[in-house]
Amino acid sequence: MNKRSVIIVASFVLAIIALFVVRTQTTKRAAVVEHASRSPEQTSAAPTVATRKITADGVALPGVFADAVRADPSKGVILIEGRAATTEPLVLEIWRKGRKVLEKSLPLHVAPVEQMYARVNLRDGAAAVTPGSCLPPANGTNVVFLHGFNVDAEKARGWHAEMFKRLWQSGSKARFHGVTWRGDIGGINVFRYHEDVVSAFATAPHLKNYVNGLSGEKIMMAHSLGNMVVSSAIADHGMSVGKYFMLNAAVPAEAYDPSLWSDSPDASNRLVHDYWRDYTNTCWSAKWHELFAGAPSDDRGRLTWKGRFAGVLTGTAAYNFYSSGDSANSADGDQLFELLEETPATGTPPPSRRYAWQKQETHKGRGAFDPAGTSWAGWGFAEHEEQASADPPTYTMVRDYSVAAANATAATNPLAFAEAPVFLKNPPGMFTNSIPPALRNELLAKGIPALSPAAGKATIIPDTLVNVNMNTACKPEGGLWGRNHKDYGKRWLHSDMKDMAFFYTHKLYKELVELGGL
Amino acid sequence: MKKARLVFIVAVCVVIIVAILRLEGRRNQKSASDVGVGTNVVRTATPVRRSGEGSPETEVALGKSSAALSPMRETDSVLVRLEPGHPKPAHIVKAQKDGAQAKITFLVVDDKGRPVPDATVAGGFYNHERDGHGFSSQTQNDGTVELTDLCVWEINYGVEKSGYYETRGRYDFYKAGFDCVKDGRWIPWNPTVEVVLKRKVNPVTMYVRQGAINRLALPKLDDWTGFDLERSDWVQPHGKGKHEDFQVFFRRGETNHMGVFRQFSLTFRFCKPFDGFYLARKDGTGSQFKCIYEADTNRIYETEIEFSYERLIDPVSGRSAYKNKMLEPDEYLVLRIRSETDEEGRLIKANYAKICAPLFAAFYGFQITTYFNPNENDPNLETDTSRNLLNPKDLGFAP
């Protein structure tokens, strides 16, 4: 669809000081005046503007338009949209008494937007690159953007086109690279988040290969789970980038800042599954790695999100653009990352995106039939079958440890948990001291719950990262917002950097361009 | 034919999945019930009171969708605490899934506590984002508006009226740990929630720097550097500032190869007589305008304050610990600066300003959010958000 849609190669303004025009036509003026007289609040509902097709025969500008320009030279904006690819110029002619007295040409190159940047496909492994065939002039800097979770190849095209246009319109002259990766595994992808995290880790080396092959300055940008790919590429594979912009990052904050990891069993720790509140935290899978802290060569000691991407902070200058949500009474962040004061229920009816972060972490190990869960370790319990009655013989699943037994073992012999954990003892490959890196990543994705909010929720490590709250710092005048959702009010939600009109988000892009030196 | 077979297979699969999910749910509930004993409930001595909650009504004005419900008695609104460690009662689970009737009365008052009629209260009863549960109503002469609808959890609302700052908020009908559903209704039934709608009194055009995105160079290390609030910059030669409104002493710890320092302190000092600051806290009304309207000219203005930050890293565990004494997001400083006195030392002239978070120093620069009222002897701190004397294009700041 994008291929067919043609957009302007460059937005431009014609300041016309015309003394004479041939004909008068009022439609255009009415439209322009209507738009100009509206307040920004009013323009949020798109006004109906008359449009006119410019053909080879030309279009006469209305006399009143010329009069308006004459009266105020700062006025006179004509918005032009390309409707087909062309390299023909746009020509302004001024006629007087049937005689052409002036002709000015504006060179144009109208092309599909996707030809203006490189499209990089990592969905099948190594980069398959479609270089842009109509690349705009660039300043030698590369900006590489990755979309997030649950974005298929078609949706990725939309993300990339929008990001390119918004950055370009904000003054970026950097060469844009839109990267597609497989963050949409499965038929009903929204239930396959953990698989997509595994995919993110697997994509990282390919991203590194592509980015390290670029010449010039390299600036990374990623939205949501795309940050898992980028962070792994930097921390695990030595991807070299000058700056890294994390946008609504769906990565545990503890991966960058271990201090945000909380092993408090208190009810205020909303990332602990409610069923585990009475178990001492030594029993948790998220703390299992601590049993092996004294053996650096034991891979089980590395099964934690804590500090997993610490290498990002030493490898590049990182910027954390997050969204806090705007209500004083619901300071838990945006729609995706807000946290409940209890474990969100299994199978909460759609839309499943609410409390998504908390669900995907607290439902690890809660069973593969749980739409937000997995069958690996996590908050599942190690259980065995016991005969409930002899005749007829019935069986029931019983936990390996009662609360009392687990807590007693934790107090007296915690190392017993190394082989016989309280949590679900699956997969078998987890219970050995040598775990291949790919399995370690998979274990983190499916079996080790984060004990911190997403990095895209709040300020993290302010001494090392620039943190910008888009919800408060990137809205236009007076916190103006083009949507007043019945449930979410005027909050800057997870994908609003793309979903909201540029009018409302332009401060974000201006900031990205300035900070990134784009 | 193939299509029919496919539909059949899909239908069978759906049935199997639903059955397994139900079994799984039961299993989880059973597992949870292992934790404690039984499902006894304990009555609390006093019902939960949250800000704005009123007394339960003895007579209920039924909403349009609750006509079939029986009248509520006063005792029906008493919240009962659930025994910890037990699975959530089925009627609450059902209410969270399918919804229960909710009723609430908003009382909209201005910052003086006077009822605000004709204010628009709009938002939605949360029902898993399903359509048809939004509302938009006007307050009556007594400032109240009564709303009733099905709800699975909370109501989100915004209150607006021309000449007032918008207030947004949320009220949770579901209360974790309490038996908050009775006879298909959320209790307490029809609480009165007070919403403060702050007036736009006299917004003043100010010089505003938004610290989150407009960073300054760091001040001079281990020395005092003057700061000009009008220019919102360091005083020359360190910046473009001309008038020293206060001084900043900057210390920091060692830096790593990236220039990162994990420890610093900033001391603000006010040198002129009568110049100084006091610490204030933003109000929790949910209003767009969270500060006081005017600086209190009779307060004692302190002359020195130190902010400090330190991140310590445990060499063994790698864990960080913060010792943070910075300006919190809900705090701000009210400043009196440029004070002048008469011959007898009495204050005759001053300007007022405020400093809000973020206030921070790092390798990437100095973040400070400042509002400077240029009008002499005007303690007004209410800011016109449509104009910025420091940078006309830099808008989007809070009033």
Side-chain angles (χ1 to χ4, degrees):
Chain A
M1 195 164 103
N2 271 0
K3 275 184 183 168
R4 276 188 235 146
S5 66
V6 179
I7 67 130
I8 324 163
V9 68
S11 299
F12 64 96
V13 172
L14 284 179
I16 308 160
I17 304 172
L19 294 175
F20 304 99
V21 287
V22 183
R23 277 169 264 166
T24 301
Q25 203 244 39
T26 54
T27 322
K28 185 80 87 178
R29 178 186 181 270
V32 171
V33 170
E34 179 197 15
H35 193 82
S37 63
R38 279 167 179 257
S39 70
E41 211 47 285
Q42 288 171 309
T43 52
S44 63
T48 306
V49 178
T51 56
R52 177 166 288 265
K53 190 185 287 186
I54 302 175
T55 65
D57 296 334
V59 168
L61 292 169
V64 285
F65 178 79
D67 289 343
V69 171
R70 225 180 346 221
D72 183 355
S74 68
K75 296 279 168 58
V77 175
I78 304 175
L79 273 177
I80 301 173
E81 181 183 44
R83 62 188 167 85
T86 182
T87 54
E88 294 297 317
L90 184 68
V91 180
L92 172 71
E93 297 174 351
I94 298 180
W95 291 70
R96 186 184 187 188
K97 293 178 182 172
R99 224 176 110 240
K100 186 161 69 177
V101 295
L102 183 72
E103 179 177 310
K104 284 282 181 188
S105 288
L106 179 74
L108 279 182
H109 188 164
V110 179
V113 67
E114 288 183 305
Q115 292 179 14
M116 299 177 195
Y117 52 84
R119 285 172 286 157
V120 185
N121 186 351
L122 301 180
R123 293 179 65 84
D124 299 315
V129 184
T130 308
S133 57
C134 184
L135 297 171
N139 58 9
T141 296
N142 298 282
V143 58
V144 183
F145 174 80
L146 278 83
H147 58 75
F149 162 66
N150 200 19
V151 175
D152 62 23
E154 275 302 296
K155 286 184 193 162
R157 296 174 63 190
W159 264 100
H160 296 154
E162 206 57 46
M163 287 300 294
F164 167 76
K165 285 187 282 186
R166 292 182 180 204
L167 288 170
W168 175 266
Q169 286 158 3
S170 303
S172 170
K173 292 291 175 281
R175 176 73 64 240
F176 186 80
H177 306 253
V179 178
T180 313
W181 64 283
R182 200 175 288 280
D184 61 327
I185 288 171
I188 310 175
N189 173 244
V190 74
F191 298 149
R192 304 285 292 276
Y193 174 83
H194 307 94
E195 298 283 345
D196 292 319
V197 177
V198 178
S199 172
F201 278 114
T203 305
H206 302 298
L207 177 68
K208 174 268 224 173
N209 288 341
Y210 177 72
V211 171
N212 280 7
L214 297 172
S215 56
E217 180 74 11
K218 286 162 273 190
I219 309 295
M220 289 303 304
M221 287 182 191
H223 178 249
S224 192
L225 192 60
N227 287 284
M228 194 74 78
V229 185
V230 176
S231 295
S232 174
I234 295 171
D236 302 341
H237 305 285
M239 183 170 78
S240 173
V241 295
K243 289 172 184 170
Y244 169 26
F245 292 91
M246 300 157 62
L247 307 162
N248 301 94
V251 177
E254 73 202 60
Y256 308 102
D257 183 355
S259 70
L260 297 172
W261 182 83
S262 169
D263 59 358
S264 165
D266 191 76
S268 63
N269 188 350
R270 297 175 180 185
L271 286 156
V272 176
H273 196 290
D274 287 342
Y275 292 175
W276 286 74
R277 294 272 174 215
D278 295 332
Y279 286 84
T280 182
N281 60 14
T282 312
C283 306
W284 302 351
S285 61
K287 278 176 67 79
W288 193 60
H289 69 282
E290 291 184 351
L291 298 176
F292 315 100
S297 62
D298 192 324
D299 289 335
R300 291 173 292 185
R302 302 165 75 179
L303 294 179
T304 177
W305 283 105
K306 199 171 38 163
R308 178 66 182 78
F309 296 139
V312 167
L313 306 180
T314 54
T316 186
Y319 301 77
N320 182 34
F321 282 74
Y322 68 95
S323 173
S324 68
D326 86 330
S327 169
N329 298 331
S330 59
D332 275 332
D334 72 7
Q335 185 183 349
L336 185 72
F337 295 150
E338 62 188 344
L339 299 178
L340 272 179
E341 54 195 310
E342 61 184 23
T343 304
T346 299
T348 300
S352 56
R353 58 190 170 175
R354 211 171 184 211
Y355 315 118
W357 181 262
Q358 196 178 1
K359 268 190 266 186
Q360 84 209 8
E361 298 304 322
T362 55
H363 289 218
K364 281 179 180 172
R366 297 303 308 167
F369 291 114
D370 180 335
T374 69
S375 56
W376 284 20
W379 297 109
F381 288 100
E383 293 177 324
H384 60 276
E385 207 169 48
E386 279 186 7
Q387 190 165 359
S389 64
D391 187 23
T394 57
Y395 296 87
T396 185
M397 298 300 291
V398 175
R399 290 181 192 169
D400 289 1
Y401 294 87
S402 65
V403 172
N407 292 350
T409 306
T412 55
N413 181 24
L415 284 176
F417 294 146
E419 300 301 327
V422 182
F423 58 82
L424 182 61
K425 197 176 175 184
N426 189 47
M430 179 178 176
F431 300 90
T432 169
N433 59 9
S434 177
I435 306 172
L439 179 57
R440 280 207 306 271
N441 291 335
E442 196 168 356
L443 281 163
L444 285 180
K446 296 177 178 176
I448 306 297
L451 289 176
S452 57
K457 180 180 180 294
T459 291
I460 57 171
I461 358 179
D463 58 49
T464 310
L465 292 176
V466 178
N467 290 275
V468 177
N469 183 356
M470 294 182 285
N471 193 48
T472 56
C474 295
K475 287 179 179 171
E477 181 197 327
L480 191 70
W481 203 233
R483 178 189 58 224
N484 193 357
H485 191 280
K486 72 179 177 65
D487 294 321
Y488 306 119
K490 298 178 180 175
R491 293 158 70 173
W492 183 302
L493 301 178
H494 192 63
S495 296
D496 277 351
M497 56 177 291
K498 171 183 74 72
D499 292 344
M500 289 300 287
F502 185 56
F503 174 79
Y504 298 103
T505 59
H506 68 273
K507 279 181 80 175
L508 163 66
Y509 291 91
K510 179 172 169 279
E511 183 70 354
L512 291 174
V513 169
E514 282 182 13
L515 285 172
L518 307 179
Chain B
M1 186 62 189
K2 269 184 182 174
K3 231 178 200 176
R5 190 181 300 168
L6 190 67
V7 169
F8 176 74
I9 292 169
V10 169
V12 169
C13 289
V14 168
V15 169
I16 292 171
I17 289 168
V18 168
I20 292 170
L21 275 174
R22 288 193 162 206
L23 278 176
E24 182 73 11
R26 277 184 202 165
R27 190 167 148 255
N28 287 344
Q29 288 206 346
K30 182 186 172 302
S31 299
S33 68
D34 292 346
V35 175
V37 281
T39 52
N40 296 335
V41 292
V42 182
R43 283 193 176 273
T44 51
T46 50
V48 168
R49 293 277 178 213
R50 293 198 177 185
S51 170
E53 258 180 34
S55 303
E57 290 189 342
T58 50
E59 250 184 39
V60 176
L62 293 174
K64 56 184 177 186
S65 53
S66 59
L69 299 172
S70 58
M72 291 288 274
R73 293 161 306 186
E74 189 166 353
T75 51
D76 289 339
S77 278
V78 176
L79 279 172
V80 176
R81 189 181 289 280
L82 297 169
E83 185 75 11
H86 289 277
K88 207 181 284 179
H91 64 284
I92 297 182
V93 173
K94 186 176 185 314
Q96 290 188 303
K97 184 172 172 289
D98 303 326
Q101 282 297 316
K103 185 171 182 180
I104 190 167
T105 296
F106 287 110
L107 169 61
V108 180
V109 298
D110 68 11
D111 47 282
K112 302 267 188 193
R114 298 172 298 206
V116 180
D118 299 321
T120 303
V121 182
F125 287 84
Y126 188 72
N127 282 284
H128 302 301
E129 287 190 15
R130 283 189 284 261
D131 289 337
H133 298 283
F135 58 83
S136 180
S137 300
Q138 307 294 122
T139 53
Q140 300 171 29
N141 285 340
D142 63 355
T144 64
V145 62
E146 203 174 83
L147 300 160
T148 310
D149 200 350
L150 202 67
C151 189
V152 299
W153 200 291
E154 90 273 3
I155 183 172
N156 295 284
Y157 59 88
V159 185
E160 290 177 293
K161 184 175 179 179
S162 179
Y164 294 80
Y165 293 103
E166 183 184 5
T167 295
R168 302 200 69 83
R170 156 182 173 154
Y171 175 86
D172 286 346
F173 294 109
Y174 170 68
K175 293 171 173 59
F178 288 88
D179 191 358
C180 47
V181 177
K182 191 173 176 63
D183 300 331
R185 292 167 168 158
W186 293 104
I187 55 172
W189 179 253
N190 196 17
T192 299
V193 173
E194 188 177 282
V195 179
V196 177
L197 204 58
K198 294 175 84 172
R199 293 166 301 144
K200 286 183 180 171
V201 177
N202 181 24
V204 172
T205 307
M206 297 193 190
Y207 291 82
V208 182
R209 168 179 293 280
Q210 300 187 74
I213 53 175
N214 300 309
R215 285 163 289 276
L216 287 169
L218 287 170
K220 203 173 166 192
L221 192 63
D222 296 326
D223 201 356
W224 293 101
T225 310
F227 192 86
D228 180 343
L229 282 159
E230 187 171 338
R231 301 266 174 159
S232 198
D233 200 355
W234 305 113
V235 171
Q236 292 170 349
H238 306 293
K240 289 180 287 190
K242 291 179 177 168
H243 194 288
E244 186 176 283
D245 290 314
F246 60 92
Q247 296 179 331
V248 178
F249 194 96
F250 175 54
R251 297 183 187 87
R252 64 158 169 74
E254 294 297 308
T255 63
N256 69 11
H257 70 287
M258 301 276 290
V260 172
F261 47 93
R262 297 195 182 111
Q263 185 274 330
F264 70 85
S265 69
L266 294 162
T267 306
F268 287 17
R269 182 172 77 179
F270 297 79
C271 300
K272 288 182 73 174
F274 289 101
D275 278 8
F277 74 92
Y278 68 86
L279 188 67
R281 197 168 285 277
K282 293 179 182 176
D283 67 46
T285 58
S287 173
Q288 263 185 317
F289 180 47
K290 301 177 193 307
C291 299
I292 49 169
Y293 287 96
E294 289 190 350
D296 183 347
T297 55
N298 294 316
R299 285 284 291 260
I300 293 174
Y301 284 72
E302 307 283 340
T303 55
E304 198 166 303
I305 183 170
E306 184 183 270
F307 299 101
S308 63
Y309 170 91
E310 186 170 13
R311 183 160 65 98
L312 303 163
I313 299 183
D314 185 313
V316 179
S317 68
R319 291 185 72 171
S320 299
Y322 290 94
K323 282 185 179 176
N324 198 343
K325 284 198 295 178
M326 301 302 294
L327 207 55
E328 297 292 334
D330 65 339
E331 292 176 334
Y332 59 103
L333 297 179
V334 176
L335 310 183
R336 180 165 63 207
I337 28 99
R338 307 192 179 190
S339 304
E340 288 184 19
T341 53
D342 61 15
E343 288 172 352
E344 292 170 2
R346 289 177 302 207
L347 178 66
I348 54 168
K349 210 158 75 173
N351 287 81
Y352 292 86
K354 58 184 177 183
I355 293 177
C356 304
L359 172 65
F360 205 77
F363 75 98
Y364 50 76
F366 182 65
Q367 292 181 312
I368 186 168
T369 303
T370 60
Y371 294 74
F372 173 73
N373 181 346
N375 306 323
E376 284 174 2
N377 290 334
D378 179 7
N380 197 337
L381 297 176
E382 184 187 1
T383 314
D384 177 0
T385 56
S386 67
R387 285 184 291 174
N388 184 353
L389 295 172
L390 187 68
N391 177 0
K393 290 182 178 174
D394 189 14
L395 301 174
F397 46 84

XYZ file of all heavy atoms in Angstrom, chain B residues 88-134:
354
model
N -9.009 -14.719 45.261
C -10.013 -13.668 45.219
C -11.398 -14.304 45.103
O -11.586 -15.230 44.318
C -9.731 -12.810 43.991
C -10.198 -11.397 44.079
C -9.888 -10.654 42.810
C -8.427 -10.283 42.705
N -8.126 -9.573 41.456
N -12.386 -13.832 45.874
C -13.725 -14.410 45.785
C -14.276 -14.321 44.365
O -14.014 -13.362 43.639
C -14.547 -13.545 46.742
C -13.564 -12.948 47.667
C -12.294 -12.780 46.902
N -15.081 -15.317 44.041
C -15.580 -15.430 42.669
C -16.397 -14.215 42.242
O -16.352 -13.801 41.091
C -16.409 -16.697 42.544
N -17.146 -13.632 43.194
C -17.987 -12.499 42.785
C -17.134 -11.279 42.430
O -17.534 -10.451 41.624
C -19.029 -12.179 43.868
C -18.443 -11.716 45.179
N -17.847 -12.565 46.077
C -18.369 -10.489 45.732
C -17.441 -11.879 47.137
N -17.746 -10.620 46.937
N -15.940 -11.179 43.040
C -15.056 -10.063 42.665
C -14.396 -10.352 41.317
O -14.290 -9.467 40.461
C -13.998 -9.809 43.757
C -14.685 -9.383 45.047
C -13.004 -8.743 43.304
C -13.737 -9.069 46.188
N -13.978 -11.594 41.160
C -13.387 -11.979 39.865
C -14.395 -11.710 38.746
O -14.055 -11.153 37.697
C -12.981 -13.472 39.877
C -12.534 -13.918 38.496
C -11.880 -13.714 40.908
N -15.649 -12.062 39.000
C -16.693 -11.845 37.995
C -16.875 -10.342 37.737
O -17.011 -9.900 36.594
C -18.009 -12.466 38.470
C -19.117 -12.422 37.440
C -20.349 -13.150 37.942
C -21.449 -13.229 36.885
N -21.732 -12.006 36.172
N -16.859 -9.568 38.816
C -17.022 -8.115 38.651
C -15.876 -7.524 37.838
O -16.070 -6.618 37.029
C -17.096 -7.448 40.025
N -14.676 -8.063 38.056
C -13.531 -7.546 37.306
C -13.547 -8.003 35.855
O -12.926 -7.378 35.003
C -12.233 -7.982 37.982
C -12.017 -7.264 39.307
C -10.650 -7.531 39.885
O -10.283 -8.685 40.104
N -9.895 -6.487 40.110
N -14.239 -9.100 35.633
C -14.296 -9.610 34.260
C -15.486 -9.013 33.506
O -15.341 -8.435 32.441
C -14.403 -11.134 34.303
C -14.371 -11.803 32.952
C -14.291 -13.320 33.143
C -14.444 -14.058 31.826
N -15.808 -13.993 31.306
N -16.655 -9.120 34.118
C -17.876 -8.708 33.416
C -18.402 -7.355 33.864
O -19.258 -6.770 33.222
C -18.983 -9.757 33.636
C -18.540 -11.130 33.168
O -17.789 -11.193 32.179
O -18.938 -12.134 33.788
N -17.913 -6.887 35.003
C -18.354 -5.594 35.503
C -19.389 -5.715 36.592
O -20.113 -6.708 36.692
N -19.444 -4.696 37.428
C -20.493 -4.556 38.439
C -20.971 -3.114 38.348
O -20.270 -2.254 37.805
C -19.929 -4.853 39.835
N -22.152 -2.874 38.875
C -22.656 -1.513 38.832
C -21.811 -0.622 39.739
O -21.446 -1.022 40.848
C -24.115 -1.478 39.302
C -25.095 -1.942 38.251
C -25.098 -1.042 37.030
O -25.081 0.182 37.156
N -25.107 -1.639 35.846
N -21.543 0.552 39.251
C -20.764 1.511 40.042
C -21.502 2.836 40.046
O -22.083 3.238 39.037
C -19.377 1.692 39.435
N -21.473 3.467 41.167
C -22.094 4.791 41.262
C -21.156 5.706 42.037
O -20.553 5.300 43.035
C -23.446 4.708 41.968
C -24.188 6.037 41.982
C -25.608 5.874 42.489
C -26.324 7.208 42.449
N -27.710 7.100 42.930
N -21.061 6.937 41.577
C -20.147 7.872 42.222
C -20.695 9.287 42.064
O -21.375 9.592 41.079
C -18.734 7.765 41.583
C -17.692 8.536 42.392
C -18.737 8.217 40.122
C -16.267 8.218 41.990
N -20.443 10.108 43.050
C -20.810 11.521 42.952
C -19.541 12.353 43.027
O -18.756 12.198 43.966
C -21.758 11.929 44.107
O -22.977 11.195 43.972
C -22.077 13.415 44.053
N -19.335 13.171 42.015
C -18.214 14.095 42.052
C -18.713 15.439 42.582
O -19.748 15.939 42.129
C -17.623 14.304 40.659
C -16.843 13.117 40.171
C -17.320 12.336 39.138
C -15.634 12.786 40.745
C -16.615 11.242 38.683
C -14.912 11.687 40.301
C -15.400 10.921 39.270
N -17.971 15.968 43.517
C -18.245 17.312 43.999
C -17.093 18.194 43.535
O -15.962 18.038 44.013
C -18.349 17.325 45.533
C -18.374 18.714 46.193
C -19.574 19.541 45.726
C -18.387 18.582 47.722
N -17.367 19.078 42.606
C -16.314 19.918 42.040
C -16.299 21.256 42.757
O -17.318 21.963 42.788
C -16.523 20.118 40.522
C -15.419 20.996 39.941
C -16.554 18.762 39.814
N -15.171 21.551 43.356
C -15.021 22.825 44.072
C -13.804 23.559 43.545
O -12.898 22.941 42.978
C -14.863 22.605 45.605
C -16.106 21.949 46.182
C -13.630 21.761 45.900
N -13.779 24.870 43.719
C -12.598 25.623 43.286
C -11.554 25.612 44.405
O -11.742 24.984 45.451
C -12.979 27.035 42.821
C -13.464 27.917 43.966
O -13.323 27.516 45.149
O -13.988 29.002 43.688
N -10.468 26.337 44.178
C -9.373 26.314 45.144
C -9.749 26.960 46.473
O -9.017 26.845 47.455
C -8.143 27.000 44.540
C -8.493 28.312 43.886
O -9.022 28.283 42.750
O -8.290 29.360 44.508
N -10.888 27.639 46.503
C -11.365 28.216 47.769
C -12.402 27.308 48.414
O -13.032 27.680 49.407
C -11.997 29.588 47.515
C -11.076 30.593 46.865
C -10.382 31.407 47.916
C -9.611 32.557 47.263
N -8.686 33.178 48.211
N -12.685 26.196 47.773
C -13.659 25.265 48.338
C -15.087 25.550 47.934
O -16.026 24.947 48.458
N -15.286 26.472 46.988
C -16.646 26.820 46.562
C -17.081 25.904 45.430
O -16.288 25.627 44.513
C -16.690 28.277 46.088
C -16.336 29.275 47.176
C -16.194 30.663 46.639
N -15.113 30.764 45.657
C -14.448 31.878 45.395
N -14.756 32.981 46.026
N -13.480 31.892 44.490
N -18.332 25.453 45.449
C -18.813 24.575 44.382
C -18.700 25.254 43.016
O -18.899 26.460 42.893
C -20.276 24.336 44.744
C -20.382 24.657 46.184
C -19.366 25.704 46.465
N -18.354 24.464 42.006
C -18.232 24.996 40.650
C -19.353 24.398 39.790
O -19.309 23.222 39.455
C -16.858 24.639 40.039
C -16.743 25.210 38.626
C -15.730 25.137 40.922
N -20.347 25.205 39.442
C -21.401 24.684 38.560
C -20.952 24.700 37.095
O -19.978 25.389 36.744
C -22.547 25.678 38.775
C -21.890 26.938 39.216
C -20.591 26.584 39.886
N -21.628 23.946 36.265
C -21.403 23.937 34.814
C -19.991 23.516 34.401
O -19.532 23.873 33.322
C -21.709 25.314 34.198
C -23.162 25.698 34.420
O -24.026 24.807 34.332
O -23.409 26.889 34.711
N -19.307 22.814 35.260
C -18.010 22.254 34.851
C -18.280 20.943 34.115
O -19.221 20.222 34.450
C -17.141 21.993 36.074
N -17.468 20.684 33.119
C -17.638 19.442 32.361
C -16.812 18.334 33.005
O -15.590 18.464 33.150
C -17.187 19.625 30.900
O -17.942 20.690 30.333
C -17.403 18.355 30.092
N -17.485 17.284 33.400
C -16.808 16.104 33.951
C -16.904 15.022 32.889
O -18.000 14.583 32.539
C -17.470 15.629 35.262
C -16.716 14.434 35.845
C -17.523 16.766 36.269
N -15.772 14.627 32.344
C -15.788 13.660 31.235
C -14.753 12.580 31.469
O -13.721 12.812 32.108
C -15.514 14.372 29.912
N -15.013 11.426 30.968
C -14.065 10.321 31.115
C -14.752 9.007 30.830
O -15.600 8.931 29.932
N -14.401 7.985 31.582
C -15.006 6.684 31.306
C -14.933 5.750 32.500
O -14.012 5.824 33.319
N -15.924 4.911 32.608
C -15.880 3.788 33.550
C -15.083 2.700 32.837
O -15.462 2.295 31.721
C -17.293 3.272 33.850
C -18.106 4.185 34.730
C -18.811 5.251 34.198
C -18.160 3.961 36.099
C -19.566 6.080 35.011
C -18.920 4.782 36.917
C -19.625 5.844 36.373
N -14.030 2.230 33.448
C -13.172 1.264 32.743
C -13.888 -0.077 32.609
O -14.341 -0.664 33.595
C -11.831 1.084 33.472
C -10.893 0.249 32.642
C -10.320 0.765 31.496
C -10.616 -1.073 32.970
C -9.483 0.000 30.695
C -9.785 -1.849 32.185
C -9.223 -1.297 31.047
O -8.410 -2.051 30.256
N -14.005 -0.519 31.389
C -14.639 -1.807 31.081
C -13.822 -2.522 30.014
O -14.337 -2.835 28.941
C -16.082 -1.593 30.612
C -17.020 -1.332 31.773
O -17.382 -2.251 32.499
N -17.376 -0.080 31.980
N -12.570 -2.711 30.311
C -11.656 -3.344 29.361
C -11.694 -2.639 28.003
O -11.682 -3.264 26.958
C -11.976 -4.833 29.204
C -11.921 -5.586 30.508
N -10.777 -5.627 31.276
C -12.862 -6.277 31.185
C -11.018 -6.332 32.371
N -12.267 -6.727 32.351
N -11.772 -1.340 28.082
C -11.746 -0.473 26.903
C -12.973 -0.623 26.002
O -12.977 -0.116 24.884
C -10.469 -0.679 26.088
C -9.243 -0.087 26.746
C -8.029 -0.082 25.836
O -8.193 -0.275 24.635
O -6.923 0.111 26.362
N -13.972 -1.337 26.469
C -15.155 -1.480 25.613
C -15.843 -0.122 25.445
O -15.856 0.701 26.370
C -16.128 -2.494 26.229
C -15.688 -3.938 26.029
C -16.787 -4.896 26.458
N -16.867 -5.007 27.901
C -16.327 -6.021 28.610
N -15.692 -6.984 27.991
N -16.437 -6.062 29.923
N -16.416 0.058 24.266
C -17.124 1.306 23.981
C -18.402 1.384 24.799
O -18.908 0.376 25.308
C -17.478 1.378 22.492
C -16.227 1.602 21.654
O -15.240 2.115 22.216
O -16.248 1.257 20.463
N -18.930 2.582 24.879
C -20.243 2.763 25.484
C -20.198 3.062 26.967
O -21.241 3.112 27.608
N -19.024 3.262 27.511
C -18.944 3.531 28.948
C -18.275 4.872 29.245
O -17.811 5.108 30.342
C -18.212 2.388 29.659
C -18.919 1.073 29.516
N -20.041 0.747 30.236
C -18.694 0.029 28.681
C -20.462 -0.457 29.877
N -19.663 -0.914 28.930
N -18.237 5.698 28.234
C -17.726 7.052 28.436
C -18.844 7.941 28.963
O -20.022 7.578 28.912
